[in-house]
Structure formats: structure tokens, C-alpha cells
Amino acid sequence: LADLIEQGKVVALNFPTAMNPGLARALGTMLKQDFQRAVLGRIQTMTNQPSSPQRAVAFVCDEYQSFATTGENEPSGDEKFFSLARQARCIPIVATQSISSLRSALPGDESWRTLLQCFRTKIILATSDEFTARTAADLCG
């Protein structure tokens, strides 16, 4: 996967979740984590070869709540990746149905907050979810 990323290839997963939701989640999560590992590996290369230009990389994930993971005390959570993504020249773009759906998909009471704060720019469109609307209003002050 690291070679594909450096070649500028597009890697996509198209697996209809209606066919097998558990398998779709497992495959999507494994692909996401392998992508994150490959991107974070670029940091060492960039440090060792500062004069060599590195292409920007994008991580785009729709229905992100289905693939979100938090590490809390583990080193493999998405919050750790997103905190280092800029250093690896990676632009993450994720879309979720609502903050509530992200909240319900993650373990623990507060892990969703840790993950949400990693997203520097948040675009929240019209929603009928009261929790998402209240959280968005709080974020805006």
C-alpha cells in the first residue's frame, strides 16, 4: 500500500454493507489502518530526505462512523493518526451521518470527543439530530 500511495494511485473500497455488514466493517477498518500505517511511515522518509519532494495524500472516507476507531491507551487509534497526518502531508476528509452516530459507534463515554477535536475544520449541514445540533451550536459559541 505504501508503494501505491507514493505512486499517486487511488485506493478505494467498494463493498456494499447490505451484503455483509460485519465483513464490510472489518475490511474497511483494516484497509484504513493499513493506509494510516503507510502514511505515517512517510514521516521518517521525509525526515531522512528533506530535499526530496513528497506528494500530498488524501484520506477520504464516507460513512466514517462505520470505520472509526479510537485507541485511548493504545497507539493505533484514529486520533493519533489525525494528529500526525499533516506532518505526513496527508489531508483527511471524513463524512458521518451525525455526531450522534459517531458517538454511538465508539467505545467509552468520551472517546468521540477526543476524535472530534482532531478535526480542525467541521462542516455541519442541516440535521434533525438534536445532540448534533446542540454540539454544533456549542462549538460555534
Side-chain angles (χ1 to χ4, degrees):
L1 194 57
D3 290 338
L4 293 174
I5 291 169
E6 293 309 320
Q7 293 171 17
K9 304 293 183 184
V10 174
V11 179
L13 175 65
N14 183 13
F15 190 107
T17 56
M19 289 178 59
N20 189 333
L23 182 59
R25 177 173 165 70
L27 287 174
T29 303
M30 287 189 290
L31 179 60
K32 176 198 68 159
Q33 289 182 320
D34 196 32
F35 175 86
Q36 290 175 351
R37 180 197 51 77
V39 168
L40 292 179
R42 301 175 80 206
I43 295 172
Q44 186 63 39
T45 304
M46 296 166 101
T47 303
N48 292 342
Q49 302 169 359
S51 62
S52 175
Q54 294 290 323
R55 75 172 61 246
V57 175
F59 171 75
V60 181
C61 184
D62 191 17
E63 300 295 336
Y64 175 69
Q65 73 277 358
S66 298
F67 309 106
T69 55
T70 55
E72 294 184 4
N73 296 328
E74 300 296 322
S76 61
D78 290 348
E79 73 278 8
K80 279 118 180 137
F81 171 73
F82 292 133
S83 69
L84 296 171
R86 271 188 28 188
Q87 187 177 352
R89 295 198 47 152
C90 180
I91 304 160
I93 301 170
V94 301
T96 185
Q97 291 297 320
S98 65
I99 296 173
S100 291
S101 62
L102 185 62
R103 180 181 177 190
S104 65
L106 295 171
D109 292 335
E110 298 297 316
S111 58
W112 67 274
R113 288 183 189 274
T114 305
L115 189 54
L116 190 64
Q117 66 86 28
C118 290
F119 304 130
R120 298 292 177 227
T121 302
K122 300 163 192 71
I123 300 172
I124 300 173
L125 303 175
T127 181
S128 60
D129 177 47
E130 184 180 312
F131 179 78
T132 299
R134 188 174 45 249
T135 303
D138 291 346
L139 288 171
C140 293

